[in-house]
Amino acid sequence: MIHKVTPDSSIFQVVILHLDLDAFFASVEQADNPSLQGLPVIIGQSLRGVVTAASYAARRYGVHSAMPIVQAKKLCPHAIFLPGRMHRYHQVSQEIMSIIRAHCPVVEQASIDEAYVDISGTKRALGTPKTLALSLKKVIKNTTGLSCSIGIAPNKFLAKVASAWKKPDGLTIIEPDAVFQFLAGLSLHHIPGVGKSFLEELGSLGVQTIPDILSQPKSYWAQVLGKRGADLYDRAQGIDHRPVLPKTDPLSCSAENTLEHDTLGLEMLKQYLLIQAERVGHELRALGKKSQTITLKIKFQDFSVITRSKTLHRPTDITHELYTIACTLLFAQKLEQKIRLIGISASNFRTDSAFLPLVTDKRHQRETSLDQTLDRIRNKFGNTSIMRADASHLKGDLQTKS
Ligand SMILES: [Mg+2]
């Protein structure tokens, strides 16, 4: 007798998490400069320009992004207007994305401050979606000082709507059986991609609400509005089949710091290299990569940049090895002026076992297990929760400056 086994569909339920940093650019400025905390901060300075970001204190005055600066100045004249530091925002973004990747297997970065994570079937390994979301929020907060809002739902569209539902520091979970109830409370402008001009276009077609869309078949919308119409019909039903697409693997892992003061002090530089080696090593291990080429980057006082690389006989992901190589490269360099930025990058990734040593020496084993222990602690409590003794006094500095 043959038993036909049909898979339990609930096991294959799709669960998508969408993470969105709160008032990202403004929050980075506040994290880097705590005296701005709680104040109305607006990114965008040129009188002819627009607001690129506004802190929540500024939003209370009605200021929002894309608003002309002139108007923002009228609404909130006492706000602090800053020019914005894209380089810094990218740096923090990278740090946050590597935290998410260190925790979750399938991550798609959607913008500088947003990511989708496919957490289907990860309950056993990563805990319930709620536990995972809370621990991501905690690690990001502890590491960067920034808060984020998270939405969890059966697809990308609903997860994105959910993350915007309660901000800042929100967590909104839409269970599959609550989707229709959730959609009933949704306005058209909540649907990502439905902006002001699309709303007007829909208005001219007599469409004001989600039920208005559902009153016609999908083929009608496809005919009238093309792909936008067909997609809109799907969204109005809570349908979105787009998969989470992790970008192809990065080609390198890197960390760098602009120093508090330009320096020639080797002890200080070594401490920065140590903390950078920790970061790069942690990222390599999270990616399951070993690097064969280690590069030291130095930017001098006059902004000239040099890089020095070493290609290894045996690829590594060991923090102590990365640190030692970076130090050797630094010591070999003639320093004729003060350094303003220093960094390490690891590239030329190998995963093949041909490089595995047949006999692992004791030291190698010791370093590997030390790294594993530190990774576990960092995954739980954040990047600066623990450091090797040499760099621990840089902790406060690195939390905001890396
Ligand atoms: Mg955001």
Side-chain angles (χ1 to χ4, degrees), residues 20-21 113 167:
D20 186 14
L21 275 303
D113 72 334
K167 263 182 158 289

Side-chain angles (χ1 to χ4, degrees), residues 363-380:
R363 184 185 170 105
H364 188 278
Q365 262 172 12
R366 218 172 41 232
E367 293 295 346
T368 302
S369 81
L370 174 61
D371 284 345
Q372 283 165 354
T373 307
L374 295 183
D375 285 351
R376 271 200 300 276
I377 295 173
R378 270 189 213 106
N379 284 341
K380 213 162 166 189

Side-chain angles (χ1 to χ4, degrees), residues 16 108 116 155-158 160 192 227 231 235 239-245:
I16 307 294
E108 175 184 335
Y116 290 100
N155 61 47
K156 277 178 147 181
F157 152 59
L158 290 167
K160 186 170 164 86
K227 188 179 180 317
D231 284 348
R235 303 297 179 262
I239 293 171
D240 179 7
H241 294 301
R242 289 172 302 158
V244 173
L245 294 172

